[in-house]
């Protein structure tokens, strides 16, 4: 027997209804904020990620699914969504659109080769948002507000929002010099990845999963001491907007995010629900003012976030929140003989075209077995079709909730059901 690939999962019908509910709600909230959907390919040229995400990141160095196609081109299954969206923005010249900034959302599978953990897979589904073309603290606050709106709309309460400023390019340059001076004398005490980071991106040492408890990490200088006046003012404005929106947050000066393209605002949302797991991050995002130019695009700025739907569902489970949605069958038609079965097939077609969720028996069960099937399908109403019902063109419409029955003309069944279901 061929088994599923490690780090992937089958989403069976008993859970896909939850996924559909979550995905629809995410789209609805994004559209309320006037963001429109974009769909990019599942694979891209590898250079997009080595340049856009950063050659020093764990994603590029360790986690990408990369292969050479028949045209001898290096292709990578997308590990994240921002770089493809920015590539599309540049390629399709969206900076020339009349309405600015360009506000986009996406949803789809991403791929990273990493050790399977609870709520983390090698193929996972991300929902993300990008606002490109405006450097304004108000839109930073809007993005963060949307994130919190999303989680709170599902009923999650045990949330913590952490924010930080990474500053502009000048501020980061000065800060990186200070980090090199701080870590370099003792870099042999750190992991092999950090040996490379000290030369390529020293800020990533603060984000290291292996050395995060090292005393030198805890005593490292903070970015806030190296922010220039413009960066400080920008961050203060972001905080002011969040305060006005009544959004609670905590400034974490060690929050640097794992991708090279971030500047200014960075943020993460954590869950502190008991039983959620060792990795508590639900969502991360931030501003990327240099990414477009890095990918040969115009001098425009952007900000965005991405969240894992798997981890959102895990957070709901940790807080004991059940997704309530109506996927019950509207009507089940039981049949008594072959003639009534043929009539039921035609009746089903008319009902379904009218938007009524209906089904019948295809296993030649006895009437008792058919009614058990209706119960398993949680049918709201049932009818039984036999010779007399077809001859008289009348059926007993049974309400499966209270057991009440009413004789209905077959010609008015559709209208009667639509009125009851509405």
């Amino acid at each position: 027997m061929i088994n599923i690939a490690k780090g992937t999962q089958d989403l069976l019908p008993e859970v896909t209804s939850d996924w559909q509910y979550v995905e629809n709600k995410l789209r609805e909230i994004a559209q309320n904020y006037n963001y429109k959907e974009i769909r990019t390919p599942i694979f891209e040229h590898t250079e997009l990620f080595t340049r856009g995400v950063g050659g020093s990141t764990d994603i590029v160095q360790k986690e990408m699914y990369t292969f050479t196609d028949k045209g001898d081109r290096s292709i990578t299954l997308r590990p994240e969504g921002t770089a493809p969206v920015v590539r599309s923005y540049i390629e399709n010249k969206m900076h020339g659109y009349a309405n600015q900034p360009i506000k986009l959302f996406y949803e789809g599978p991403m791929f990273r080769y990493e050790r399977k953990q609870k709520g983390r897979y090698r193929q996972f589904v991300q929902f993300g948002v990008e606002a490109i073309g405006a450097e304004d603290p108000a839109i930073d606050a809007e993005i963060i507000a949307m994130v919190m709106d999303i989680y709170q709309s599902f009923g999650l309460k045990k949330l913590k929002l952490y924010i930080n400023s990474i500053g502009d390019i000048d501020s980061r340059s000065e800060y990186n010099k200070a980090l090199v001076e701080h870590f370099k004398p003792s870099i042999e005490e750190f992991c092999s990845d950090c040996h490379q980071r000290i030369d390529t991106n020293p800020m990533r040492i603060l984000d290291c999963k292996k050395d995060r408890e090292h005393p030198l990490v805890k005593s490292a200088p903070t970015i806030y001491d190296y922010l220039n006046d413009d960066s400080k003012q920008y961050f203060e404005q972001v905080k002011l907007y969040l305060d006005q929106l009544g959004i609670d947050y905590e400034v974490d000066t060690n929050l640097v995010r794992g991708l090279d393209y971030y500047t200014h605002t960075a943020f993460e949302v954590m869950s502190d629900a008991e039983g959620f797991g060792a990795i508590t991050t639900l969502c991360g995002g931030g501003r990327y003012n240099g990414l477009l130019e890095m990918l040969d695009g115009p001098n425009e700025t952007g900000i965005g976030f991405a969240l894992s739907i798997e981890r959102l569902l895990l957070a709901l489970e940790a807080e004991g929140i059940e997704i309530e949605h109506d996927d019950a069958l509207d009507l089940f038609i039981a049949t008594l003989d072959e003639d009534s079965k043929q009539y039921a097939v035609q009746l089903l077609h008319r009902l379904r075209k009218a938007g009524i969720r209906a089904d019948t028996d295809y296993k030649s069960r006895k009437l008792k077995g058919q009614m058990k099937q209706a119960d398993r399908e949680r049918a709201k109403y049932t009818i039984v079709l036999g010779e007399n019902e077809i001859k008289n063109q009348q059926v007993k419409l049974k309400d499966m909730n209270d057991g009440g029955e009413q004789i209905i003309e077959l010609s008015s069944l559709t209208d009667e059901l639509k009125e009851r279901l509405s």
Side-chain angles (χ1 to χ4, degrees):
M1 185 178 70
I2 300 174
N3 294 319
I4 193 170
K6 186 176 180 180
T8 62
Q9 60 176 334
D10 292 319
L11 299 177
L12 303 181
E14 52 263 34
V15 299
T16 52
S17 56
D18 290 346
W19 276 74
Q20 290 163 3
Y21 174 82
V22 168
E23 290 166 346
N24 289 336
K25 195 173 187 67
L26 291 171
R27 289 188 176 96
E28 179 184 346
I29 293 173
Q31 288 166 350
N32 288 344
Y33 283 76
N34 197 30
Y35 286 72
K36 296 176 173 59
E37 185 176 11
I38 184 172
R39 301 187 184 188
T40 63
I42 287 178
F43 60 86
E44 300 268 3
H45 293 292
T46 302
E47 186 183 9
L48 174 65
F49 302 110
T50 56
R51 289 172 58 187
V53 175
S56 67
T57 61
D58 287 349
I59 291 176
V60 171
Q61 291 189 349
K62 303 176 181 180
E63 299 172 0
M64 294 201 312
Y65 280 92
T66 298
F67 60 94
T68 302
D69 70 5
K70 293 181 179 180
D72 203 30
R73 293 170 291 251
S74 182
I75 299 295
T76 295
L77 299 180
R78 61 185 183 193
E80 59 94 46
T82 298
V85 169
V86 169
R87 189 269 309 149
S88 180
Y89 173 93
I90 296 168
E91 187 170 347
N92 292 288
K93 297 180 174 57
M94 293 188 198
H95 59 277
Y97 287 12
N99 291 333
Q100 297 289 334
I102 302 297
K103 301 168 76 172
L104 306 166
F105 73 87
Y106 61 87
E107 182 265 331
M110 308 291 166
F111 304 85
R112 295 187 193 179
Y113 187 88
E114 56 184 347
R115 183 170 60 87
K116 185 185 180 301
Q117 301 171 68
K118 187 177 181 181
R120 297 176 78 98
Y121 297 88
R122 291 176 176 177
Q123 177 180 319
F124 56 98
V125 180
Q126 268 190 358
F127 174 85
V129 160
E130 313 291 347
I132 305 174
E135 186 171 8
D136 186 337
I139 205 164
D140 294 35
E142 175 182 283
I143 288 284
I144 295 172
M146 191 195 309
V147 170
M148 301 309 293
D149 190 4
I150 284 171
Y151 288 119
Q152 290 166 355
S153 72
F154 288 100
L156 291 171
K157 292 182 172 60
K158 297 182 179 180
L159 304 169
K160 287 189 175 181
L161 168 64
Y162 295 94
I163 65 172
N164 191 27
S165 174
I166 305 176
D168 58 16
I169 294 174
D170 292 337
S171 298
R172 287 183 61 161
S173 177
E174 292 301 313
Y175 182 49
N176 278 328
K177 291 176 185 177
L179 289 177
V180 170
E181 187 176 334
H182 178 76
F183 287 116
K184 194 78 170 180
S186 305
I187 195 62
E188 293 303 320
E189 299 176 15
F190 289 78
C191 70
S192 58
D193 291 334
C194 287
H195 292 176
Q196 298 179 20
R197 290 167 180 155
I198 194 70
D199 296 318
T200 57
N201 190 350
M203 289 176 64
R204 295 284 333 285
I205 297 175
L206 302 175
D207 198 35
C208 179
K209 295 179 178 67
K210 295 179 182 178
D211 295 320
R212 63 178 60 186
E213 299 301 322
H214 194 288
L216 283 177
V217 172
K218 296 182 180 295
S219 64
T222 66
I223 181 65
Y224 203 78
D225 294 331
Y226 293 85
L227 295 181
N228 56 31
D229 290 341
D230 289 343
S231 295
K232 285 182 179 179
Q233 184 177 0
Y234 194 96
F235 191 44
E236 291 302 315
Q237 283 293 315
V238 173
K239 292 192 292 182
L240 176 62
Y241 280 118
L242 293 177
D243 292 338
Q244 291 174 340
L245 295 174
I247 296 174
D248 294 328
Y249 60 86
E250 184 176 325
V251 176
D252 180 359
T253 55
N254 276 354
L255 172 59
V256 298
R257 302 292 298 140
L259 306 182
D260 285 357
Y261 51 59
Y262 284 110
T263 55
H264 285 300
T265 309
F267 61 91
E268 289 184 347
V269 179
M270 307 285 194
S271 168
D272 61 354
E274 186 176 349
F276 181 64
I279 301 174
T280 60
T281 306
L282 282 172
C283 168
R287 177 162 285 284
Y288 43 89
N289 285 6
L291 178 58
L292 279 85
E293 289 182 281
M294 194 183 302
L295 295 175
D296 302 322
N299 180 20
E300 291 288 357
T301 66
I303 183 170
F305 70 83
L307 63 86
S308 159
I309 295 183
E310 287 90 347
R311 294 188 66 73
L312 169 55
L313 291 167
L314 195 62
L316 293 174
E317 181 183 335
E319 291 198 29
I321 299 171
E322 293 188 6
I323 294 175
E324 296 182 4
H325 49 83
D326 184 8
D327 60 352
L329 202 62
D330 294 330
L331 177 71
F332 187 88
I333 303 175
T335 58
L336 299 180
D337 51 40
E338 185 58 32
D339 288 341
S340 59
K341 172 75 169 290
Q342 291 182 21
Y343 190 93
V345 169
Q346 301 173 49
L347 180 58
L348 278 172
H349 186 62
R350 293 199 300 271
L351 291 166
R352 289 164 174 169
K353 290 186 72 173
I356 294 169
R357 189 181 302 172
D359 209 346
T360 191
D361 170 59
Y362 295 103
K363 294 285 288 182
S364 301
R365 297 179 178 93
K366 301 293 186 182
L367 180 59
K368 185 176 180 180
Q370 292 184 59
M371 298 311 291
K372 286 183 178 179
Q373 176 69 10
D375 283 336
R376 287 192 294 270
E377 296 281 5
R378 297 185 295 118
K380 298 169 187 173
Y381 297 93
T382 59
I383 60 172
V384 178
L385 278 180
E387 182 181 355
N388 289 334
E389 285 77 16
I390 296 173
K391 179 180 178 181
N392 298 325
Q393 286 294 289
Q394 291 181 332
V395 290
K396 284 184 179 179
L397 181 65
K398 182 175 182 178
D399 187 324
M400 297 296 282
N401 183 43
D402 59 21
E405 294 182 333
Q406 181 179 347
I407 295 177
I408 302 292
E409 297 289 332
L410 274 170
S411 60
S412 62
L413 178 62
T414 300
D415 291 337
E416 178 69 26
L417 282 169
K418 291 180 75 171
E419 183 176 344
R420 291 182 179 223
L421 294 168
S422 66

